[in-house]
Amino acid sequence: MTVSRPSFEEIYMRLALTLAERSTCARLKVGTVITSLDFRKVLAVGYNGNASGLHNGCDRQEVGNCGCLHSEENAVINCDSPRSTEKIVFVTYLPCAMCAKRLINLGNVRRVIYAQDYRVRESVELFAQVGISVDRLDVTNIAGVTK
């Protein structure tokens, strides 16, 4: 008898989606999980919101400039793994260009897997320039995920 098991990609995307629920951003709730290449370790997590100790909400209502730290940014801040560790990033939305640059500078990111497109897609080209593969994971069929 074959047991149906979720893939590691599905499990970590589900975790990113759950982390997004902690977001305090009024416009877009985003979650990020950084794992080792073999999926055996969660290296860091993040979600978007204001800085620790500040009020739990946006500073402004301007799209793209609400004052919240992005989830990828928080995950990079939280990641204490060495640059030499190969990494996979799971994020609920395709990263913006600045978060793509932060992930590139984290070092040894091999893949970025995202669930939904972001309004700007210039990060795809930035990742391609440095050899980071980008894949979209359809979350509509992941058990326990509702959109």
Side-chain angles (χ1 to χ4, degrees):
M1 180 169 115
T2 304
V3 176
S4 176
R5 300 188 308 167
S7 69
F8 283 114
E9 288 90 347
E10 291 171 337
I11 288 169
Y12 289 124
M13 187 58 74
R14 190 179 307 149
L15 178 56
L17 289 160
T18 300
L19 284 163
E21 295 174 20
R22 289 205 38 89
S23 170
T24 57
C25 182
R27 189 181 72 79
L28 189 65
K29 297 185 180 311
V30 183
T32 300
V33 176
I34 301 174
T35 72
S36 59
L37 198 61
D38 64 2
F39 303 110
R40 294 182 187 274
K41 294 181 182 178
V42 172
L43 305 174
V45 299
Y47 52 88
N48 58 331
N50 217 333
S52 296
L54 299 180
H55 72 96
N56 283 327
C58 299
D59 295 333
R60 304 174 281 288
Q61 297 306 312
E62 183 182 344
V63 173
N65 190 26
C66 70
C68 287
L69 295 169
H70 290 194
S71 72
E72 303 94 327
E73 193 170 18
N74 276 322
V76 167
I77 290 166
N78 292 331
C79 189
D80 60 2
S81 292
R83 291 179 57 84
S84 60
T85 301
E86 294 181 314
K87 302 163 189 80
I88 299 176
V89 177
F90 296 86
V91 62
T92 55
Y93 284 85
L94 179 68
C96 70
M98 290 307 295
C99 283
K101 291 177 181 182
R102 289 177 182 101
L103 291 168
I104 291 166
N105 270 2
L106 180 60
N108 253 331
V109 171
R110 297 295 182 214
R111 290 177 70 194
V112 173
I113 301 170
Y114 70 98
Q116 297 187 45
D117 273 313
Y118 183 60
R119 61 186 167 83
V120 180
R121 294 187 47 84
E122 74 182 282
S123 63
V124 174
E125 176 57 31
L126 293 172
F127 288 133
Q129 288 178 37
V130 295
I132 297 173
S133 70
V134 179
D135 301 296
R136 184 168 182 188
L137 180 64
D138 181 5
V139 296
T140 56
N141 295 321
I142 296 177
V145 173
T146 56
K147 284 179 63 175

